[in-house]
Amino acid sequence: MSEPDVFSALSNPVRREILLQLRKGPRAVNDLASGFNLGRPAVSEHLQVLRKARLVREEPRGRERYYHLDPRPLSEVDDWLKAFTHYWKQRLAALEDVLDEESRK
């Protein structure tokens, strides 16, 4: 199986929520798992996918592992979305032109 890319890692709502939680700072697995209706092993699997996609890094602290958000790979998503942002800005500008023309009639 190939390593997950950023897009496949973000395709799961649990993983997206984990990333949102990690925006607030590093969290232990148990801490993260308490926010979901999932067991710790399931959350650990999601964290492994995020780690392989390089979206999180783990830090051992004693017997626990803390996870940190690494937002750098998200620039790939931002680059991809920019094409759509440009497209929709053009479409909305064209719609505005049509509406302006209609209001002048």
Side-chain angles (χ1 to χ4, degrees):
M1 185 176 175
S2 65
E3 294 293 304
D5 65 0
V6 174
F7 294 96
S8 61
L10 293 174
S11 68
N12 184 283
V14 171
R15 291 193 288 264
R16 291 192 305 268
E17 182 59 32
I18 288 172
L19 292 175
L20 289 174
Q21 293 300 316
L22 291 175
R23 285 177 52 208
K24 301 171 189 167
R27 305 273 302 272
V29 177
N30 289 334
D31 227 11
L32 288 167
S34 68
F36 296 97
N37 195 13
L38 299 170
R40 185 180 184 271
V43 172
S44 291
E45 284 182 34
H46 286 295
L47 285 165
Q48 181 178 7
V49 171
L50 292 169
R51 190 176 49 76
K52 286 181 177 179
R54 299 181 334 270
L55 288 164
V56 300
R57 65 180 175 80
E58 66 182 0
E59 171 196 3
R61 291 186 194 172
R63 294 177 52 180
E64 291 192 273
R65 295 196 180 284
Y66 279 75
Y67 286 84
H68 300 256
L69 174 65
D70 186 350
R72 290 176 296 181
L74 292 173
S75 66
E76 182 181 346
V77 177
D78 185 46
D79 291 344
W80 184 79
L81 286 172
K82 281 179 184 171
F84 294 96
T85 302
H86 179 71
Y87 169 79
W88 281 110
K89 282 182 180 179
Q90 286 180 325
R91 300 288 298 176
L92 290 171
L95 176 60
E96 185 177 20
D97 292 344
V98 168
L99 292 174
D100 286 346
E101 191 175 310
E102 288 295 316
S103 69
R104 281 182 253 150
K105 289 182 179 180

